[in-house]
Amino acid sequence: GAVVSQHPSWVICKSGTSVKIECRSLDFQATTMFWYRQFPKQSLMLMATSNEGSKATYEQGVEKDKFLINHASLTLSTLTVTSAHPEDSSFYICSAPSLGGGETQYFGPGTRLLVL
Amino acid sequence: SQQGEEDPQALSIQEGENATMNCSYKTSINNLQWYRQNSGRGLVHLILIRSNEREKHSGRLRVTLDTSKKSSSLLITASRAADTASYFCATEVTGNTGKLIFGQGTTLQVKP
């Protein structure tokens, strides 16, 4: 089946630094990818929709200048957490729908971010 | 924003018993999906039920969907200790293909 990878799987950084998380579709093309955030013992919250070749669409309450999304190719979307603070510590998960906008969503394994 | 509510929030049962989790949502949907997540890990897709379907089976899983009540249930039969995980429903909202709104989740513990 289709696979979505994320890199890194975990990262620890100092407050104030920026962290880039990559989401790759390994054996299929994805014109759209989704970024979710999950705080401990909570559910997944959709942050934004990443669109290849155009600007990302952010959900209400998500700061677009803080969470920069770039979808540079049909297989790669990146999420950059700028000037990270401890409250940004979370589990970040991406997903990509199957080609053609089908129902099946393929989720990445997630990236755990800890900001000290 | 969160679409769904799940109940119970936590469920503890003995191995061999059945586990039922419920999910409610607020808007029209294309489909509803159930996912499983082991502690600190990624999501595993369990089953998808379309808005025009009422029931679906996959192995020990049975999912129902009642669009008039905007609710769904997931039944796991003959539970095993390995079923211990968090279970989430997620709805694909009509007109927003691919975008999933997750419920709050149910934490299931199956005791051996």
Side-chain angles (χ1 to χ4, degrees):
Chain A
V3 176
V4 173
S5 71
Q6 284 184 239
H7 177 81
S9 56
W10 59 270
V11 57
I12 301 173
C13 70
K14 293 182 179 179
S15 187
T17 60
S18 293
V19 175
K20 180 186 283 189
I21 302 170
E22 294 185 348
C23 177
R24 291 183 186 272
S25 55
L26 296 184
D27 52 1
F28 67 104
Q29 295 180 333
T31 56
T32 301
M33 291 183 176
F34 300 95
W35 287 96
Y36 297 84
R37 178 169 55 183
Q38 184 180 32
F39 291 110
K41 299 190 185 303
Q42 294 188 25
S43 185
L44 281 77
M45 292 286 289
L46 179 64
M47 297 176 68
T49 303
S50 174
N51 304 299
E52 188 270 335
S54 65
K55 291 182 179 180
T57 307
Y58 291 81
E59 295 299 304
Q60 191 173 7
V62 178
E63 300 175 57
K64 61 180 171 58
D65 294 330
K66 180 165 182 66
F67 298 99
L68 301 179
I69 291 173
N70 185 286
H71 197 141
S73 76
L74 288 171
T75 59
L76 173 64
S77 174
T78 60
L79 169 68
T80 301
V81 183
T82 62
S83 186
H85 288 96
E87 57 266 30
D88 298 322
S89 299
S90 189
F91 194 48
Y92 292 86
I93 306 173
C94 69
S95 74
S98 57
L99 192 62
E103 298 167 323
T104 304
Q105 286 276 344
Y106 301 103
F107 280 83
T111 296
R112 190 162 299 282
L113 170 64
L114 177 61
V115 184
L116 301 177
Chain B
S1 60
Q2 289 298 116
Q3 157 90 295
E5 296 181 359
E6 291 184 57
D7 78 87
Q9 289 188 347
L11 182 60
S12 182
I13 59 175
Q14 293 295 134
E15 206 166 27
E17 294 180 340
N18 295 341
T20 300
M21 292 160 255
N22 302 295
C23 166
S24 63
Y25 58 93
K26 297 176 183 175
T27 65
S28 296
I29 62 172
N30 292 331
N31 61 66
L32 185 144
Q33 306 175 32
W34 284 90
Y35 290 85
R36 165 199 168 120
Q37 184 181 39
N38 286 66
S39 181
R41 309 290 291 274
L43 293 176
V44 175
H45 181 263
L46 296 177
I47 198 165
L48 179 152
I49 186 164
R50 298 184 179 90
S51 60
N52 61 353
E53 297 176 315
R54 293 296 168 257
E55 188 172 312
K56 208 161 184 180
H57 297 253
S58 177
R60 293 184 295 115
L61 306 180
R62 173 177 169 255
V63 168
T64 62
L65 178 64
D66 187 335
T67 52
S68 66
K69 295 180 180 178
K70 291 186 168 56
S71 66
S72 174
S73 67
L74 170 67
L75 168 67
I76 304 174
T77 60
S79 64
R80 306 166 181 167
D83 294 329
T84 295
S86 291
Y87 292 82
F88 296 94
C89 67
T91 51
E92 184 183 280
V93 178
T94 302
N96 288 283
T97 304
K99 190 157 94 167
L100 295 179
I101 306 299
F102 282 80
Q104 299 294 338
T106 294
T107 300
L108 173 66
Q109 182 185 30
V110 181
K111 299 175 183 177

CSV table of all heavy atoms in Angstrom, one decimal, chain A residues 34 36 38 41-46 49 59 91 93 95 97 101-105 107-110 112, chain B residues 1-2 30-31 33 35 37 40-43 45 48 50 88 92 97-105:
chain,number,residue,atom,x,y,z
A,34,PHE,N,-2.2,17.1,4.3
A,34,PHE,CA,-2.8,17.7,5.5
A,34,PHE,C,-1.9,17.6,6.7
A,34,PHE,O,-1.2,16.6,6.8
A,34,PHE,CB,-4.1,17.1,5.8
A,34,PHE,CG,-5.2,17.1,4.7
A,34,PHE,CD1,-5.3,16.1,3.8
A,34,PHE,CD2,-6.0,18.2,4.6
A,34,PHE,CE1,-6.2,16.1,2.8
A,34,PHE,CE2,-6.9,18.3,3.6
A,34,PHE,CZ,-7.0,17.3,2.7
A,36,TYR,N,-1.6,17.8,10.8
A,36,TYR,CA,-2.4,17.8,12.1
A,36,TYR,C,-1.4,17.9,13.3
A,36,TYR,O,-0.2,17.6,13.2
A,36,TYR,CB,-3.1,16.4,12.2
A,36,TYR,CG,-4.1,16.1,11.2
A,36,TYR,CD1,-3.8,15.6,9.9
A,36,TYR,CD2,-5.5,16.4,11.4
A,36,TYR,CE1,-4.7,15.3,9.0
A,36,TYR,CE2,-6.5,16.1,10.5
A,36,TYR,CZ,-6.1,15.6,9.2
A,36,TYR,OH,-7.0,15.3,8.3
A,38,GLN,N,-1.2,17.0,17.5
A,38,GLN,CA,-1.9,16.2,18.6
A,38,GLN,C,-1.1,16.5,19.9
A,38,GLN,O,0.0,16.1,20.0
A,38,GLN,CB,-1.9,14.7,18.3
A,38,GLN,CG,-2.6,13.9,19.3
A,38,GLN,CD,-2.6,12.4,19.0
A,38,GLN,OE1,-1.6,11.9,18.3
A,38,GLN,NE2,-3.6,11.7,19.3
A,41,LYS,N,-2.6,13.1,25.1
A,41,LYS,CA,-3.9,12.7,25.6
A,41,LYS,C,-5.0,13.4,24.9
A,41,LYS,O,-6.1,13.4,25.5
A,41,LYS,CB,-4.0,12.7,27.1
A,41,LYS,CG,-3.0,11.9,27.8
A,41,LYS,CD,-3.2,11.7,29.3
A,41,LYS,CE,-2.1,11.0,30.0
A,41,LYS,NZ,-1.9,9.6,29.5
A,42,GLN,N,-4.8,14.0,23.8
A,42,GLN,CA,-5.8,14.7,23.1
A,42,GLN,C,-6.0,14.1,21.7
A,42,GLN,O,-5.2,13.2,21.3
A,42,GLN,CB,-5.6,16.2,23.0
A,42,GLN,CG,-5.6,16.9,24.4
A,42,GLN,CD,-5.6,18.4,24.3
A,42,GLN,OE1,-5.9,19.0,23.2
A,42,GLN,NE2,-5.1,19.0,25.3
A,43,SER,N,-6.9,14.6,20.9
A,43,SER,CA,-7.2,14.1,19.6
A,43,SER,C,-6.3,14.9,18.6
A,43,SER,O,-5.6,15.8,19.0
A,43,SER,CB,-8.7,14.3,19.3
A,43,SER,OG,-8.9,13.7,18.0
A,44,LEU,N,-6.5,14.5,17.3
A,44,LEU,CA,-5.8,15.3,16.3
A,44,LEU,C,-6.6,16.5,15.9
A,44,LEU,O,-7.8,16.4,15.7
A,44,LEU,CB,-5.6,14.4,15.0
A,44,LEU,CG,-4.5,13.3,15.1
A,44,LEU,CD1,-4.9,12.2,15.9
A,44,LEU,CD2,-4.1,12.9,13.7
A,45,MET,N,-5.9,17.6,15.7
A,45,MET,CA,-6.5,18.8,15.3
A,45,MET,C,-5.9,19.2,13.9
A,45,MET,O,-4.7,19.3,13.8
A,45,MET,CB,-6.2,20.0,16.3
A,45,MET,CG,-6.9,19.8,17.6
A,45,MET,SD,-8.6,20.1,17.5
A,45,MET,CE,-8.6,21.9,17.3
A,46,LEU,N,-6.7,19.4,13.0
A,46,LEU,CA,-6.3,19.8,11.6
A,46,LEU,C,-5.7,21.2,11.7
A,46,LEU,O,-6.3,22.1,12.2
A,46,LEU,CB,-7.4,19.7,10.6
A,46,LEU,CG,-7.1,20.2,9.2
A,46,LEU,CD1,-6.1,19.2,8.6
A,46,LEU,CD2,-8.3,20.2,8.4
A,49,THR,N,-4.1,22.8,5.2
A,49,THR,CA,-4.1,22.0,4.0
A,49,THR,C,-3.0,22.5,3.1
A,49,THR,O,-3.0,23.7,2.8
A,49,THR,CB,-5.4,22.1,3.3
A,49,THR,OG1,-6.5,21.7,4.2
A,49,THR,CG2,-5.4,21.2,2.0
A,59,GLU,N,-6.4,26.4,9.1
A,59,GLU,CA,-7.6,26.4,9.9
A,59,GLU,C,-7.7,27.6,10.8
A,59,GLU,O,-6.6,28.2,11.2
A,59,GLU,CB,-7.7,25.1,10.7
A,59,GLU,CG,-7.8,23.8,9.8
A,59,GLU,CD,-9.0,23.8,9.0
A,59,GLU,OE1,-10.1,23.9,9.5
A,59,GLU,OE2,-8.9,23.7,7.7
A,91,PHE,N,2.9,16.5,18.9
A,91,PHE,CA,3.0,15.4,17.9
A,91,PHE,C,2.4,15.9,16.6
A,91,PHE,O,1.2,16.2,16.6
A,91,PHE,CB,2.3,14.1,18.4
A,91,PHE,CG,2.7,12.9,17.7
A,91,PHE,CD1,4.0,12.5,17.4
A,91,PHE,CD2,1.7,12.0,17.3
A,91,PHE,CE1,4.3,11.4,16.8
A,91,PHE,CE2,2.0,10.8,16.6
A,91,PHE,CZ,3.3,10.5,16.4
A,93,ILE,N,1.5,15.3,12.7
A,93,ILE,CA,1.2,14.2,11.8
A,93,ILE,C,0.7,14.8,10.4
A,93,ILE,O,-0.1,15.7,10.4
A,93,ILE,CB,0.1,13.3,12.3
A,93,ILE,CG1,0.5,12.8,13.8
A,93,ILE,CG2,-0.1,12.1,11.4
A,93,ILE,CD1,-0.6,12.0,14.4
A,95,SER,N,-0.8,13.8,6.4
A,95,SER,CA,-1.5,12.8,5.7
A,95,SER,C,-1.7,13.2,4.3
A,95,SER,O,-1.6,14.4,3.9
A,95,SER,CB,-2.9,12.5,6.3
A,95,SER,OG,-3.8,13.6,6.0
A,97,PRO,N,-4.1,12.2,0.7
A,97,PRO,CA,-5.2,11.3,0.2
A,97,PRO,C,-4.6,10.6,-1.1
A,97,PRO,O,-3.7,11.0,-1.7
A,97,PRO,CB,-6.3,12.3,-0.2
A,97,PRO,CG,-5.5,13.6,-0.5
A,97,PRO,CD,-4.4,13.6,0.4
A,101,GLY,N,-7.9,12.2,-5.4
A,101,GLY,CA,-8.8,12.7,-4.3
A,101,GLY,C,-9.7,11.6,-3.8
A,101,GLY,O,-10.8,11.8,-3.3
A,102,GLY,N,-9.2,10.4,-3.8
A,102,GLY,CA,-10.0,9.3,-3.3
A,102,GLY,C,-10.2,9.3,-1.8
A,102,GLY,O,-9.6,10.2,-1.1
A,103,GLU,N,-11.0,8.4,-1.3
A,103,GLU,CA,-11.3,8.4,0.1
A,103,GLU,C,-10.2,8.0,1.1
A,103,GLU,O,-10.1,8.5,2.2
A,103,GLU,CB,-12.5,7.5,0.4
A,103,GLU,CG,-13.7,7.8,-0.4
A,103,GLU,CD,-14.7,6.7,-0.4
A,103,GLU,OE1,-14.3,5.5,-0.4
A,103,GLU,OE2,-15.9,7.0,-0.3
A,104,THR,N,-9.3,7.2,0.6
A,104,THR,CA,-8.3,6.7,1.4
A,104,THR,C,-7.2,7.7,1.8
A,104,THR,O,-6.7,8.4,0.9
A,104,THR,CB,-7.6,5.5,0.7
A,104,THR,OG1,-8.5,4.5,0.3
A,104,THR,CG2,-6.5,4.9,1.7
A,105,GLN,N,-7.0,7.9,3.1
A,105,GLN,CA,-5.9,8.8,3.6
A,105,GLN,C,-4.8,7.9,4.1
A,105,GLN,O,-5.0,7.0,4.8
A,105,GLN,CB,-6.5,9.6,4.7
A,105,GLN,CG,-7.5,10.7,4.3
A,105,GLN,CD,-6.8,12.0,3.9
A,105,GLN,OE1,-5.6,12.2,4.2
A,105,GLN,NE2,-7.5,12.8,3.3
A,107,PHE,N,-1.5,8.2,6.4
A,107,PHE,CA,-0.9,9.0,7.4
A,107,PHE,C,0.5,8.7,7.6
A,107,PHE,O,1.0,7.5,7.5
A,107,PHE,CB,-1.7,8.8,8.8
A,107,PHE,CG,-3.0,9.5,8.9
A,107,PHE,CD1,-4.1,9.0,8.3
A,107,PHE,CD2,-3.0,10.8,9.5
A,107,PHE,CE1,-5.3,9.7,8.4
A,107,PHE,CE2,-4.2,11.5,9.6
A,107,PHE,CZ,-5.3,11.0,9.0
A,108,GLY,N,1.3,9.7,7.9
A,108,GLY,CA,2.7,9.5,8.2
A,108,GLY,C,2.8,9.1,9.7
A,108,GLY,O,1.8,9.1,10.4
A,109,PRO,N,4.0,8.6,10.1
A,109,PRO,CA,4.1,8.1,11.4
A,109,PRO,C,4.2,9.1,12.5
A,109,PRO,O,4.2,8.8,13.7
A,109,PRO,CB,5.5,7.3,11.3
A,109,PRO,CG,6.2,8.0,10.2
A,109,PRO,CD,5.2,8.5,9.2
A,110,GLY,N,4.3,10.4,12.1
A,110,GLY,CA,4.3,11.5,13.1
A,110,GLY,C,5.7,11.9,13.4
A,110,GLY,O,6.7,11.2,13.3
A,112,ARG,N,7.5,13.9,16.7
A,112,ARG,CA,7.4,14.4,18.1
A,112,ARG,C,8.3,15.6,18.3
A,112,ARG,O,9.5,15.4,18.1
A,112,ARG,CB,7.6,13.3,19.1
A,112,ARG,CG,7.2,13.8,20.5
A,112,ARG,CD,7.0,12.6,21.4
A,112,ARG,NE,6.0,11.6,21.0
A,112,ARG,CZ,4.7,11.8,21.1
A,112,ARG,NH1,4.2,12.9,21.7
A,112,ARG,NH2,3.8,10.9,20.7
B,1,SER,N,-11.6,23.0,14.1
B,1,SER,CA,-12.5,22.8,15.2
B,1,SER,C,-12.9,21.3,15.2
B,1,SER,O,-12.9,20.6,14.2
B,1,SER,CB,-13.8,23.6,15.1
B,1,SER,OG,-14.5,23.3,14.0
B,2,GLN,N,-13.1,20.8,16.4
B,2,GLN,CA,-13.5,19.4,16.5
B,2,GLN,C,-14.9,19.2,16.1
B,2,GLN,O,-15.8,20.0,16.4
B,2,GLN,CB,-13.3,19.0,18.0
B,2,GLN,CG,-11.9,18.9,18.4
B,2,GLN,CD,-11.1,17.8,17.6
B,2,GLN,OE1,-10.2,18.1,16.9
B,2,GLN,NE2,-11.5,16.6,17.7
B,30,ASN,N,-19.1,13.0,3.8
B,30,ASN,CA,-18.9,12.1,2.7
B,30,ASN,C,-18.8,10.7,3.3
B,30,ASN,O,-19.3,9.7,2.7
B,30,ASN,CB,-17.7,12.5,1.9
B,30,ASN,CG,-17.8,13.8,1.2
B,30,ASN,OD1,-18.9,14.2,0.8
B,30,ASN,ND2,-16.6,14.4,1.0
B,31,ASN,N,-18.0,10.6,4.3
B,31,ASN,CA,-17.8,9.3,4.9
B,31,ASN,C,-17.3,9.5,6.4
B,31,ASN,O,-17.0,10.6,6.8
B,31,ASN,CB,-16.7,8.5,4.1
B,31,ASN,CG,-15.4,9.2,4.0
B,31,ASN,OD1,-14.7,9.3,5.0
B,31,ASN,ND2,-15.0,9.6,2.8
B,33,GLN,N,-14.6,7.6,9.2
B,33,GLN,CA,-13.6,6.6,9.3
B,33,GLN,C,-13.2,6.4,10.8
B,33,GLN,O,-13.3,7.3,11.6
B,33,GLN,CB,-12.3,7.1,8.5
B,33,GLN,CG,-12.7,7.5,7.1
B,33,GLN,CD,-11.5,8.1,6.3
B,33,GLN,OE1,-10.4,7.8,6.6
B,33,GLN,NE2,-11.8,9.0,5.4
B,35,TYR,N,-10.0,5.1,13.2
B,35,TYR,CA,-8.6,4.9,13.3
B,35,TYR,C,-8.2,4.4,14.7
B,35,TYR,O,-8.9,4.6,15.7
B,35,TYR,CB,-7.8,6.2,13.1
B,35,TYR,CG,-7.9,6.7,11.6
B,35,TYR,CD1,-9.0,7.4,11.2
B,35,TYR,CD2,-6.9,6.3,10.7
B,35,TYR,CE1,-9.0,7.9,9.9
B,35,TYR,CE2,-6.9,6.8,9.4
B,35,TYR,CZ,-8.0,7.5,9.0
B,35,TYR,OH,-8.0,8.0,7.7
B,37,GLN,N,-4.8,4.2,17.4
B,37,GLN,CA,-3.5,4.8,17.7
B,37,GLN,C,-3.0,4.1,19.0
B,37,GLN,O,-3.6,4.3,20.0
B,37,GLN,CB,-3.6,6.3,17.8
B,37,GLN,CG,-2.2,6.9,18.0
B,37,GLN,CD,-2.3,8.4,18.2
B,37,GLN,OE1,-3.2,8.9,18.8
B,37,GLN,NE2,-1.4,9.2,17.6
B,40,GLY,N,1.6,7.1,21.7
B,40,GLY,CA,2.7,7.7,21.1
B,40,GLY,C,3.1,7.4,19.7
B,40,GLY,O,4.1,7.7,19.2
B,41,ARG,N,2.2,6.6,19.0
B,41,ARG,CA,2.5,6.2,17.7
B,41,ARG,C,1.6,6.8,16.6
B,41,ARG,O,0.7,7.6,16.9
B,41,ARG,CB,2.4,4.6,17.6
B,41,ARG,CG,3.1,3.9,18.7
B,41,ARG,CD,4.6,4.0,18.5
B,41,ARG,NE,5.0,3.2,17.4
B,41,ARG,CZ,5.3,1.9,17.4
B,41,ARG,NH1,5.2,1.2,18.5
B,41,ARG,NH2,5.7,1.3,16.3
B,42,GLY,N,1.8,6.4,15.4
B,42,GLY,CA,1.0,6.9,14.3
B,42,GLY,C,-0.4,6.3,14.3
B,42,GLY,O,-0.8,5.4,15.1
B,43,LEU,N,-1.2,6.7,13.3
B,43,LEU,CA,-2.5,6.2,13.1
B,43,LEU,C,-2.6,5.0,12.2
B,43,LEU,O,-1.9,4.9,11.3
B,43,LEU,CB,-3.4,7.3,12.5
B,43,LEU,CG,-3.7,8.5,13.4
B,43,LEU,CD1,-4.5,9.5,12.6
B,43,LEU,CD2,-4.4,8.2,14.6
B,45,HIS,N,-5.4,3.0,10.0
B,45,HIS,CA,-6.8,3.1,9.5
B,45,HIS,C,-7.5,1.7,9.7
B,45,HIS,O,-6.9,0.7,9.3
B,45,HIS,CB,-6.7,3.4,8.0
B,45,HIS,CG,-8.1,3.5,7.3
B,45,HIS,ND1,-8.7,2.4,6.6
B,45,HIS,CD2,-9.0,4.5,7.3
B,45,HIS,CE1,-9.8,2.8,6.2
B,45,HIS,NE2,-10.1,4.1,6.6
B,48,LEU,N,-13.7,2.3,6.8
B,48,LEU,CA,-14.3,3.5,6.3
B,48,LEU,C,-15.8,3.1,5.9
B,48,LEU,O,-16.0,2.1,5.3
B,48,LEU,CB,-13.6,4.0,5.1
B,48,LEU,CG,-14.2,5.3,4.3
B,48,LEU,CD1,-13.0,6.0,3.6
B,48,LEU,CD2,-15.2,4.9,3.3
B,50,ARG,N,-19.2,4.8,4.1
B,50,ARG,CA,-19.7,6.0,3.4
B,50,ARG,C,-21.1,6.5,3.9
B,50,ARG,O,-21.8,5.7,4.6
B,50,ARG,CB,-19.8,5.6,1.9
B,50,ARG,CG,-18.5,5.2,1.3
B,50,ARG,CD,-18.6,5.0,-0.2
B,50,ARG,NE,-17.3,4.7,-0.8
B,50,ARG,CZ,-16.8,3.4,-0.9
B,50,ARG,NH1,-17.6,2.4,-0.5
B,50,ARG,NH2,-15.6,3.2,-1.4
B,88,PHE,N,-10.2,6.5,17.3
B,88,PHE,CA,-10.7,7.8,16.9
B,88,PHE,C,-11.7,7.6,15.7
B,88,PHE,O,-11.3,6.9,14.8
B,88,PHE,CB,-9.6,8.8,16.5
B,88,PHE,CG,-8.7,9.2,17.6
B,88,PHE,CD1,-7.5,8.5,17.8
B,88,PHE,CD2,-9.0,10.2,18.5
B,88,PHE,CE1,-6.6,8.8,18.8
B,88,PHE,CE2,-8.1,10.6,19.5
B,88,PHE,CZ,-6.9,9.9,19.7
B,92,GLU,N,-15.1,12.9,7.1
B,92,GLU,CA,-14.7,13.7,5.9
B,92,GLU,C,-15.9,14.6,5.5
B,92,GLU,O,-17.0,14.1,5.1
B,92,GLU,CB,-14.3,12.9,4.7
B,92,GLU,CG,-13.8,13.7,3.5
B,92,GLU,CD,-13.5,12.8,2.3
B,92,GLU,OE1,-12.4,12.2,2.3
B,92,GLU,OE2,-14.4,12.7,1.4
B,97,THR,N,-13.1,17.3,0.4
B,97,THR,CA,-12.5,16.0,0.1
B,97,THR,C,-11.1,15.9,0.7
B,97,THR,O,-10.3,16.7,0.4
B,97,THR,CB,-12.5,15.8,-1.4
B,97,THR,OG1,-13.8,15.9,-1.9
B,97,THR,CG2,-12.0,14.3,-1.6
B,98,GLY,N,-11.0,14.9,1.5
B,98,GLY,CA,-9.7,14.6,2.1
B,98,GLY,C,-9.5,15.2,3.5
B,98,GLY,O,-8.7,14.7,4.3
B,99,LYS,N,-10.2,16.3,3.8
B,99,LYS,CA,-10.0,16.9,5.1
B,99,LYS,C,-10.8,16.2,6.1
B,99,LYS,O,-12.0,16.0,6.0
B,99,LYS,CB,-10.5,18.4,5.0
B,99,LYS,CG,-10.1,19.2,6.2
B,99,LYS,CD,-10.1,20.7,5.8
B,99,LYS,CE,-11.3,21.4,6.1
B,99,LYS,NZ,-11.1,22.9,5.9
B,100,LEU,N,-10.1,15.7,7.2
B,100,LEU,CA,-10.7,14.9,8.2
B,100,LEU,C,-10.8,15.7,9.5
B,100,LEU,O,-9.9,16.3,9.9
B,100,LEU,CB,-9.9,13.6,8.5
B,100,LEU,CG,-9.9,12.6,7.3
B,100,LEU,CD1,-9.0,11.4,7.7
B,100,LEU,CD2,-11.2,12.2,6.9
B,101,ILE,N,-12.0,15.6,10.1
B,101,ILE,CA,-12.2,16.2,11.4
B,101,ILE,C,-12.3,15.0,12.4
B,101,ILE,O,-13.2,14.2,12.3
B,101,ILE,CB,-13.5,17.0,11.5
B,101,ILE,CG1,-13.4,18.1,10.3
B,101,ILE,CG2,-13.6,17.7,12.8
B,101,ILE,CD1,-12.2,19.0,10.4
B,102,PHE,N,-11.5,15.0,13.4
B,102,PHE,CA,-11.4,13.9,14.4
B,102,PHE,C,-12.3,14.1,15.6
B,102,PHE,O,-12.4,15.2,16.1
B,102,PHE,CB,-10.0,13.7,14.8
B,102,PHE,CG,-9.1,12.9,13.8
B,102,PHE,CD1,-8.6,13.6,12.7
B,102,PHE,CD2,-8.9,11.6,13.9
B,102,PHE,CE1,-7.9,13.0,11.7
B,102,PHE,CE2,-8.2,10.9,12.9
B,102,PHE,CZ,-7.6,11.6,11.8
B,103,GLY,N,-12.8,13.0,16.1
B,103,GLY,CA,-13.4,13.0,17.4
B,103,GLY,C,-12.4,13.0,18.5
B,103,GLY,O,-11.2,12.9,18.3
B,104,GLN,N,-12.9,13.1,19.7
B,104,GLN,CA,-12.1,13.2,20.9
B,104,GLN,C,-11.3,11.9,21.2
B,104,GLN,O,-10.3,11.9,21.9
B,104,GLN,CB,-12.9,13.6,22.1
B,104,GLN,CG,-13.5,15.0,21.9
B,104,GLN,CD,-12.5,16.1,21.8
B,104,GLN,OE1,-11.4,16.0,22.3
B,104,GLN,NE2,-12.9,17.2,21.2
B,105,GLY,N,-11.9,10.8,20.8
B,105,GLY,CA,-11.2,9.5,21.0
B,105,GLY,C,-11.7,8.7,22.2
B,105,GLY,O,-12.2,9.3,23.2
